[in-house]
């Protein structure tokens, strides 16, 4: 098992339906590649977790990094993981702009914190803590 977590900035204002459409195409591809994960979106920034076999995850991350729909990609975590955080989920999605984390009790640390580099680059494990909130098996 291998995991990559990155943060990036959307190149333009995204209508959430555009992200959903993009994911509808992505999910069958991820499923075929044995890749699972989670995409979070907030105020123009993405945080994505990709997990699966190292070769497949690396290749997909490269493809995604060249996608003009986002830029300023910063890889926060890249390495082996004991198990999947998102088993059975070819790519989950949460729009945190509409769904404040206050709904998720016990995680005051993240309330209103923007998905910005400064929040995570000093302590990348925070990105995993945030992603774990959405894991069916944290
Ligand atoms: C933020 C973001 C996340 C993405 N996540 C995925 C993903 O998990 N899986 C995927 O196949 N494509 C994803 N894409 C789309 C890829 O960059 C690329 O467009 C797609 O894989 C092309 O697939 P195709 O040429 O086989 O249709 C993502 C794009 C963006 C901007």
């Amino acid at each position: 098992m291998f995991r990559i977590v990155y943060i990036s900035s959307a190149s333009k204002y995204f209508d959430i339906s555009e992200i959903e459409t993009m994911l509808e195409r992505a999910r069958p591809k991820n499923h075929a590649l044995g890749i699972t994960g989670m995409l979070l979106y907030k105020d123009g920034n993405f945080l994505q977790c990709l997990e699966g076999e190292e070769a497949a995850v690396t290749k997909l991350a490269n493809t995604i990094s060249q996608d003009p729909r986002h830029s300023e990609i910063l890889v926060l975590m890249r390495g082996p993981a004991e198990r999947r955080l998102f088993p059975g989920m070819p790519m989950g999605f949460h729009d945190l702009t509409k769904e404040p984390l206050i709904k998720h009790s016990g995680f005051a640390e993240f309330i209103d914190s923007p998905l910005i580099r400064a929040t995570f680059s000093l302590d990348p494990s925070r990105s995993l803590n945030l992603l774990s909130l959405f894991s069916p098996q944290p």
Side-chain angles (χ1 to χ4, degrees):
M1 250 298 303
F2 196 82
R3 181 185 293 136
I4 291 180
V5 177
Y6 74 83
I7 196 160
S8 69
S9 298
S11 307
K12 56 159 193 137
Y13 173 79
F14 262 102
D15 198 322
I16 295 306
S17 66
E18 289 176 65
I19 299 177
E20 293 284 11
T21 303
M22 191 262 293
L23 288 177
E24 274 164 32
R25 293 171 62 108
R27 284 183 185 122
K29 190 174 155 186
N30 289 3
H31 181 71
L33 293 168
I35 290 176
T36 53
M38 177 60 65
L39 179 67
L40 301 179
Y41 179 79
K42 187 176 183 187
D43 299 329
N45 295 302
F46 293 107
L47 178 72
Q48 188 173 32
C49 168
L50 300 163
E51 50 192 23
E53 291 300 320
E54 179 171 359
V57 169
T58 303
K59 191 167 176 227
L60 180 62
N62 281 340
T63 303
I64 294 173
S65 71
Q66 284 156 34
D67 195 312
R69 289 173 285 194
H70 64 167
S71 63
E72 296 173 71
I73 291 143
L74 176 71
V75 175
L76 295 169
M77 302 192 108
R78 183 183 196 289
E82 272 182 23
R83 60 179 182 89
R84 291 177 192 264
L85 265 180
F86 303 101
M89 296 175 70
M91 191 49 64
F93 174 66
H94 287 276
D95 172 15
L96 302 186
T97 314
K98 285 201 187 132
E99 187 186 333
L101 287 172
I102 200 157
K103 280 208 307 200
H104 300 266
S105 58
F107 295 97
E109 183 188 358
F110 295 111
I111 293 170
D112 287 338
S113 69
L115 292 182
I116 54 170
R117 277 155 197 73
T119 314
F120 298 106
S121 54
L122 287 175
D123 182 6
S125 67
R126 284 188 62 163
S127 63
L128 222 46
N129 295 343
L130 175 60
L131 286 160
S132 296
L133 300 186
F134 303 95
S135 167
Q137 294 172 12

